[in-house]
């Protein structure tokens, strides 16, 4: 359970972007509406050099959100304490405004599979994930945010809905939640549910950050739509609409635009951030 | 109810011919086929892309199609052993050397070793170099007795192939074509960008001995066993301009 001395997140309720090194100069000279930046923790676990120098410079100007992709919190195996130690070191010197990770697994035995893999939602997995979150928060001495995944399939064995599973994790561990609206849209399309219903069932009071991003469109072997979380395109209009719905229900929150593949020139990403800022200004007004 | 363990999931993930595990389905109750393939594809494609990004000269030499094919074989046999993807591919040089279909391109493993050395140098800890005058002010006797400490970014790559020329030809416009010769390379990082430099005969032995904490004079002995006319001026200049020397130590 969360200790009263733990640090809580403090990102501004404005637009942020996922930081890409090719945008370093543009971001420092013309950030536009961008109020904060998110980095992938694992890219800053080297010993030195340009990545860390750039991060130190950015952290002097922007609140930083550290977003982990390698902790495997949903894994069956114990957490990798070496990795947790590297995370503690990074958060220790950087002292970021927020730390978040995924409801997913990526490590099996000695292997790292470099993808966010899904888990069933059962009492067994609930207890295990809660124990992992406890261990992370205790080791790091701060509250973490846990992100909802994008789903392509369902586990027959699941007995919890995803919003209920996440809400129960937040209740048991005191962690916050990161609500990825694009993931909600992807999962709802892929599993034939209604994205607004998912948002309405979500523990919005626990949400400390929102993600939007682009996805690819495909179909499965039965001709059913299959959306893929690629982070390689602009955010589609239905996802912007879902963001509006979410902000109307939850009030202003930090909103991040993710663009990780086929990364565009800065003005394109800045314009996406401006759309997120405009959505926020509509609820703040 | 069928439970899908992560072992089962993992086995199917890296075996394209295997069916998706029972217990995974779409919203209509069909078993997951194409939907499981999304994860298969994500894992393999992201790892193949990581190898392209980490070994750009190797990828250029092989061409996209051959690099993709080789990388797809590699990621199934050697998935990452750490979430630090910045160092993924340590096993690639030996893997390439083991492939009969690439044996006619004998220099490829050493090119991959050079690219690994550059990547390690890129992420190595920062260090403060000594001023070059601190060496120049020593008497010849004291200079020979001095031992050096090095920045963590310093790397050596030894090869019977012209790896420096091949690297330069594929990264620098207008660079001359490689000619068949053995080349040893010193990697330094003056600020943030690692730079490979060609060492003269004996240079590898000299720097290697210094890295092993021998004195400059003792390192000179090693170097001259390799190349009788070895002159340390060139390699020493490379170390100094590359900000590779972080302190001088007196004789024990």
């Amino acid at each position: 359970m969360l200790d009263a001395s733990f640090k809580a997140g403090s990102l501004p309720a404005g637009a942020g972007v996922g930081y890409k090194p090719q945008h370093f100069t543009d971001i420092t000279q013309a950030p536009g509406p961008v109020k904060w930046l998110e980095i992938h923790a694992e890219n800053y676990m080297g010993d030195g050099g340009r990545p860390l120098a750039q991060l130190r410079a950015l952290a002097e100007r922007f609140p930083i959100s550290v977003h982990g992709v390698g902790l495997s919190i949903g894994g069956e195996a114990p957490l990798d304490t070496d990795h947790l130690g590297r995370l503690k070191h990074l958060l220790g010197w950087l002292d970021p405004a927020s730390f978040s990770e995924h409801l997913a697994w990526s490590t099996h035995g000695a292997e790292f599979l470099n993808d966010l893999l899904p888990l069933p939602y059962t009492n067994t997995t609930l207890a295990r994930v809660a124990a992992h979150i406890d261990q992370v928060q205790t080791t790091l001495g701060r509250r973490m945010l846990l992100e909802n995944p994008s789903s392509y399939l369902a586990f027959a064995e699941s007995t919890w809905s995803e919003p209920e599973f996440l809400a129960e994790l937040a209740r048991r561990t005191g962690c916050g939640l990161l609500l990825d609206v694009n993931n909600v849209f992807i999962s709802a399309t892929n599993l034939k549910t209604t994205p607004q219903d998912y948002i309405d069932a979500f523990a919005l009071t626990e949400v400390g950050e929102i993600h939007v991003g682009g996805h690819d469109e495909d179909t499965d072997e039965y001709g059913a739509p299959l959306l893929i979380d690629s982070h390689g395109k602009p955010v589609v209009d239905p996802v912007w609409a879902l963001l509006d719905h979410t902000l109307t229900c939850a009030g202003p929150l930090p909103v991040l635009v993710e663009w990780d593949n086929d990364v565009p020139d800065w003005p394109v990403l800045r314009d996406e951030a401006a759309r997120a800022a405009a959505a926020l200004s509509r609820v703040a007004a | 109810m069928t439970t899908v363990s992560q072992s089962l999931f993992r086995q199917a993930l890296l075996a394209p011919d295997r069916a998706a595990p029972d217990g995974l389905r779409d919203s209509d109750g069909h078993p997951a086929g194409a939907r499981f393939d999304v994860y298969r594809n994500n894992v393999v494609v992201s790892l193949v892309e990581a190898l392209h990004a980490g070994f750009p000269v190797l990828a250029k030499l092989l061409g996209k199609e051959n690099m993709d094919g080789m990388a797809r074989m590699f990621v199934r046999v050697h998935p990452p052993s750490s979430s630090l993807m910045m160092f993924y591919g340590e096993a690639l040089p030996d893997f390439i050397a083991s492939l009969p279909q690439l044996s006619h391109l004998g220099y490829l493993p050493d090119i991959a070793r050079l690219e690994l050395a550059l990547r390690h140098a890129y992420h190595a800890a920062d260090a403060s170099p000594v001023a070059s005058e601190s060496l120049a002010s020593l008497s010849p006797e004291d200079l020979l007795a001095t031992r050096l400490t090095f920045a963590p970014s310093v790397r050596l790559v030894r090869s019977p192939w012209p790896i420096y020329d091949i690297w330069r030809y594929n990264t620098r416009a207008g660079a001359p074509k490689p000619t068949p010769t053995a080349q040893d390379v010193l990697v330094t990082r003056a600020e943030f960008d690692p730079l490979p430099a060609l060492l003269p005969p004996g240079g590898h032995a000299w720097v290697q001995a210094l890295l092993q904490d021998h004195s400059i004079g003792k390192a000179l002995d090693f170097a001259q066993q390799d190349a009788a006319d070895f002159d340390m001026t060139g390699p020493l200049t490379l170390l100094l301009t590359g900000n590779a020397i972080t302190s001088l130590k007196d004789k024990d």
Side-chain angles (χ1 to χ4, degrees):
Chain A
M1 199 56 211
L2 211 60
D3 189 294
S5 68
F6 283 4
K7 286 188 180 185
S10 56
L11 287 171
V17 294
Y19 170 65
K20 298 292 157 198
Q22 58 265 49
H23 296 150
F24 179 77
T25 307
D26 288 316
I27 285 181
T28 49
Q29 289 175 1
V34 172
K35 300 285 185 254
W36 57 280
L37 301 172
E38 186 155 285
I39 58 150
H40 285 179
E42 288 71 15
N43 293 341
Y44 298 88
M45 290 181 174
D47 292 329
R50 181 177 284 118
L52 297 188
Q54 286 191 340
L55 180 55
R56 280 192 295 270
L58 292 169
E60 287 178 10
R61 294 205 31 196
F62 297 95
I64 304 286
S65 161
V66 173
H67 192 51
V69 296
L71 200 49
S72 204
I73 282 180
E76 285 169 6
L79 295 180
D80 176 351
T81 50
D82 287 347
H83 189 72
L84 204 47
R86 290 191 289 263
L87 210 45
K88 186 179 167 69
H89 175 72
L90 173 63
L91 299 184
W93 71 259
L94 183 62
D95 193 20
S98 178
F99 169 67
S100 52
E101 252 283 359
H102 299 83
L103 178 60
W105 62 281
S106 51
T107 299
H108 181 72
E111 294 171 358
F112 176 68
L113 296 161
N114 202 36
D115 192 29
L116 299 167
L117 300 167
L119 57 147
Y121 303 140
T122 66
N123 290 339
T124 307
T125 60
L126 182 71
R128 191 170 60 224
V129 175
H132 284 169
I133 294 172
D134 275 339
Q135 187 186 351
V136 172
Q137 295 189 135
T138 304
T139 305
L140 302 180
R142 62 161 67 224
R143 186 187 197 215
M144 65 165 286
L145 307 180
L146 188 69
E147 178 177 347
N148 59 301
S150 48
S151 298
Y152 308 114
L153 47 77
F155 286 79
E157 66 197 278
S158 285
T159 53
W160 291 73
S161 78
E162 192 171 281
E164 286 170 343
F165 191 82
L166 285 162
E168 182 60 15
L169 284 171
R171 195 188 66 77
R172 287 193 189 184
T173 67
C175 77
L177 301 175
L178 194 169
L179 176 54
D180 188 316
V181 176
N182 181 49
N183 288 356
V184 171
F185 184 77
I186 289 170
S187 300
T189 306
N190 289 343
L191 300 176
K192 297 185 181 169
T193 59
T194 310
Q196 284 78 7
D197 290 351
Y198 184 105
I199 301 292
D200 297 342
F202 206 81
L204 293 176
T205 53
E206 305 304 328
V207 173
E209 180 183 339
I210 289 178
H211 278 182
V212 292
H215 57 253
D216 290 340
E217 296 179 10
D218 203 347
T219 52
D220 72 6
E221 65 270 52
Y222 306 102
L226 180 54
L227 301 186
I228 298 169
D229 188 21
S230 60
H231 296 177
K233 287 181 178 168
V235 180
V236 297
D237 286 340
V239 170
W240 286 119
L242 195 58
L243 174 66
D244 285 337
H245 175 75
T246 305
L247 294 176
T248 303
C249 299
L253 284 163
V255 177
L256 181 91
V257 178
E258 291 186 294
W259 202 320
D260 296 317
N261 294 301
D262 298 323
V263 177
D265 288 343
W266 175 243
V268 176
L269 185 56
R270 189 191 56 204
D271 288 352
E272 289 282 276
R275 277 190 85 165
L280 280 164
S281 66
R282 286 194 290 275
V283 287
Chain B
M1 188 57 68
T2 312
T3 60
V4 182
S5 72
Q6 291 178 0
S7 296
L8 210 60
F9 199 105
R10 147 70 184 93
Q11 282 167 22
L13 201 57
L14 291 187
D17 302 331
R18 236 183 160 104
D22 272 348
L24 303 178
R25 61 189 189 188
D26 69 10
S27 53
D28 296 325
H30 299 118
R35 290 162 183 277
F36 188 75
D37 290 342
V38 175
Y39 296 107
R40 280 185 168 135
N41 194 52
N42 282 351
V43 170
V44 171
V45 169
S46 71
L47 295 178
V48 168
E49 280 175 1
L51 294 174
H52 270 276
F55 298 93
V57 173
L58 179 71
K60 193 173 172 188
L61 290 166
L62 280 172
K64 176 157 176 31
E65 201 174 316
N66 288 331
M67 178 73 179
D68 280 349
M70 186 276 292
R72 282 175 174 270
M73 290 164 65
F74 178 76
V75 304
R76 291 202 160 86
V77 187
H78 296 284
S81 56
S82 158
S83 54
L84 287 195
M85 288 296 294
M86 61 181 73
F87 299 129
Y88 182 46
E90 293 288 348
L92 192 65
D94 288 344
F95 178 78
I96 297 171
S98 76
L99 293 178
Q101 56 272 51
L102 292 179
S103 60
H104 62 296
L105 305 172
Y107 50 85
L108 290 179
D110 284 347
I111 291 294
R113 287 187 185 99
L114 174 57
E115 297 204 281
L116 277 171
L118 291 169
R119 207 148 22 115
H120 277 282
Y122 184 76
H123 291 290
D126 303 331
S128 307
V130 292
S132 51
E133 302 79 59
S134 55
L135 272 170
S137 63
L138 296 176
S139 70
E141 295 75 29
D142 286 347
L143 179 67
L144 291 178
T146 297
R147 290 172 298 129
L148 307 175
T149 359
F150 288 92
S153 52
V154 174
R155 292 285 185 285
L156 282 172
V157 186
R158 180 131 245 219
S159 180
W161 303 93
I163 54 167
Y164 176 76
D165 284 359
I166 294 171
W167 178 85
R168 191 175 52 168
Y169 184 68
N170 286 282
T171 55
R172 300 283 185 267
K177 277 200 161 180
T179 49
T181 176
Q183 291 187 328
D184 299 333
V185 172
L186 170 72
V187 175
T188 58
R189 193 186 88 200
E191 193 189 13
F192 294 135
D193 294 305
L195 191 67
L198 179 62
L199 287 167
H204 182 276
W206 186 70
V207 179
Q208 181 87 290
L210 292 171
L211 284 166
Q212 290 165 350
D213 209 26
H214 291 295
S215 68
I216 290 178
K218 182 74 182 164
L220 209 47
D221 292 343
F222 282 113
Q224 285 166 347
Q225 285 168 27
D226 263 17
D229 60 347
F230 175 75
D231 176 356
M232 71 179 184
T233 314
L236 183 58
T237 305
L238 288 176
L239 291 174
L240 288 169
T241 54
N243 289 340
I245 302 171
T246 54
S247 72
L248 311 183
K249 296 181 286 185
D250 294 336
K251 207 168 152 183
D252 299 308

